[in-house]
């Protein structure tokens, strides 16, 4: 219903000629414009006219849609032909000195995407290391707790519980703990999204972080929680499900803390935790 209507920007009328899909946020990651206007109609916005007319200025990104009938190689050949023609018609320094390279635009501006990808990779690496530190810490606590439950587990085995069933029970406890941790993390993310958005970089064009919880975030969180439960719950489960029945039934619950194999597992988890902290 808005097509053909006029709006006023900086005292100048503009006619609406098209509407983008609701989820379309432009081709530059981090910048979410409300509207687009022709570059030749930017006079009211105090843009230097020389920027538009100078032949050696390179601040525009040209985006086009390649027909399905044209291959990538054919499109690149045509772009190269245009580049040669530009150089021939506009001799002089700074005009067409470089080859024009065709890049995919489905994910947005390639240069901007590469910068954001590096930043995202760094942040994800830090978060991953922090997750490993926490998991190693929890794994050590679960190993100590399993040592304290040696008598209980030995009684279960004496009554006929198989090792696979004991491992399944202990892994279920680990999964419950990991699920609660994942839910708590999602609630914290939901609460802190608006707060973190206030720290977006400021500049000529304010960058938007675009943080939101969607099905991809929920799915990723579920997978990470499951992997954390398996990775750091399996070692305590394997260790706890292999008690020395006679010794465990004769002694009190704390007697197994000095068992050499348990000290080995605990020391390994401490090594992992300290190593990740140093990284």
């Amino acid at each position: 219903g808005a097509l053909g209507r006029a709006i006023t920007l900086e005292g100048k009328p503009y006619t609406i000629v098209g509407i983008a899909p609701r989820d379309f946020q432009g081709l530059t990651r981090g910048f979410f414009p409300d509207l687009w206007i022709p570059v030749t109609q930017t006079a009211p916005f105090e843009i230097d006219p020389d920027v538009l007319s100078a032949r050696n200025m390179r601040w525009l990104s040209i985006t086009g849609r390649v027909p399905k009938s044209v291959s990538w190689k054919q499109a690149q050949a045509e772009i190269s032909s245009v580049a040669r023609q530009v150089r021939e018609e506009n001799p002089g320094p700074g005009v067409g000195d470089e080859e024009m390279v065709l890049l995919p635009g489905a994910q947005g501006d390639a240069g901007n995407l590469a910068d954001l990808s590096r930043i995202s990779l760094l942040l994800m690496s830090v978060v991953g290391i922090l997750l490993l530190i926490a998991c190693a810490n929890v794994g050590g606590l679960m190993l100590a707790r399993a040592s304290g439950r040696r008598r209980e587990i030995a009684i279960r085995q004496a009554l006929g519980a198989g090792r696979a069933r004991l491992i399944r029970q202990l892994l279920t406890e680990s999964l419950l703990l990991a699920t609660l941790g994942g839910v708590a993390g999602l609630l914290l993310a939901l609460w802190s999204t608006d707060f973190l958005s206030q720290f977006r970089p400021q500049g000529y064009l304010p960058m938007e972080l675009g943080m939101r919880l969607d099905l991809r975030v929920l799915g990723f969180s579920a997978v990470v929680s499951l992997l954390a439960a398996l990775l750091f719950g399996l070692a305590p489960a394997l260790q706890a499900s292999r008690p020395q029945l006679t010794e465990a039934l004769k002694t009190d619950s704390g007697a197994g803390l000095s068992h050499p194999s348990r000290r080995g597992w605990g020391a390994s988890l401490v090594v992992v935790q300290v190593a990740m902290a140093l990284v």
Side-chain angles (χ1 to χ4, degrees), residues 11-35:
K12 183 178 179 179
Y14 290 84
T15 302
I16 299 176
V17 297
I19 298 176
R22 181 180 298 275
D23 295 332
F24 182 69
Q25 300 171 342
L27 296 176
T28 303
R29 294 295 182 93
F31 300 98
F32 303 149
D34 296 314
L35 51 86

Side-chain angles (χ1 to χ4, degrees), residues 16 26 42 45 51 58 65 81 96 116 125 139 143 173 181 195 197-198 218-219 224 244:
I16 299 176
T42 54
F45 300 97
V51 173
R58 296 178 182 154
R65 188 184 297 274
S81 175
L116 291 179
S125 299
L143 190 62
E173 296 176 3
F195 174 73
S197 297
Q198 300 176 9
L218 295 176
V224 170
Q244 301 294 329

Side-chain angles (χ1 to χ4, degrees), residues 29 95 99 107 139 182 211-212 217 226 237 253 267 273:
R29 294 295 182 93
V95 179
E99 288 293 329
Q107 300 297 323
M211 296 182 297
R212 63 182 185 275
V217 176
L226 178 61
S253 60
Q273 188 175 355

Side-chain angles (χ1 to χ4, degrees), residues 3-4 41 44 113 187 196:
L3 290 177
Q41 313 250 339
L113 183 60
L187 292 176
L196 292 175

Side-chain angles (χ1 to χ4, degrees), residues 62-272:
I62 305 173
T63 305
R65 188 184 297 274
V66 180
K68 293 182 179 180
S69 59
V70 177
S71 68
W72 192 267
K73 184 178 294 185
Q74 289 174 326
Q76 179 62 68
E78 190 168 345
I79 288 291
S80 299
S81 175
V82 171
R84 286 193 299 271
Q85 184 177 350
V86 169
R87 285 196 296 269
E88 294 171 359
E89 295 179 356
N90 300 275
V95 179
D97 292 338
E98 303 164 354
E99 288 293 329
M100 291 187 182
V101 180
L102 200 63
L103 299 173
Q107 300 297 323
D109 180 81
N112 182 264
L113 183 60
D115 292 338
L116 291 179
S117 297
R118 284 192 289 268
I119 296 174
S120 300
L121 180 60
L122 176 62
L123 290 177
M124 286 296 291
S125 299
V126 174
V127 171
I129 289 174
L130 184 60
L131 176 63
L132 288 176
I133 293 173
C135 287
N137 190 13
V138 173
L141 294 175
M142 292 178 64
L143 190 62
R145 182 172 180 269
S147 296
R149 297 173 63 186
R150 288 182 67 225
R151 183 177 178 83
E152 170 203 338
I153 294 173
I155 292 175
R156 290 176 183 270
Q157 279 193 319
L159 292 175
R163 190 182 184 198
R165 184 168 184 173
L166 290 173
I167 292 176
R168 204 160 53 238
Q169 174 198 338
L170 296 172
L171 281 179
T172 301
E173 296 176 3
S174 300
L175 182 59
L176 177 61
L177 182 62
T179 301
L180 292 174
V183 171
L186 287 173
L187 292 176
L188 180 62
L190 183 64
W191 170 78
S192 61
T193 296
D194 293 337
F195 174 73
L196 292 175
S197 297
Q198 300 176 9
F199 295 93
R200 62 183 184 271
Q202 298 296 324
Y204 176 69
L205 292 174
M207 177 175 284
E208 299 287 343
L209 299 179
M211 296 182 297
R212 63 182 185 275
L213 297 181
D214 53 21
L215 292 178
R216 292 174 300 175
V217 176
L218 295 176
F220 180 79
S221 302
V223 171
V224 170
S225 298
L226 178 61
L227 290 178
L230 293 177
L231 186 61
F232 287 92
L234 190 59
L238 290 174
Q239 190 65 47
S241 63
R242 194 174 54 190
Q244 301 294 329
L245 285 180
T246 304
E247 177 188 351
L249 290 172
K250 286 182 178 179
T251 57
D252 58 14
S253 60
L257 293 176
S258 60
H259 196 278
S261 62
R262 286 169 175 76
R263 287 203 304 269
W265 278 104
S268 299
L269 290 173
V270 171
V271 168
V272 170

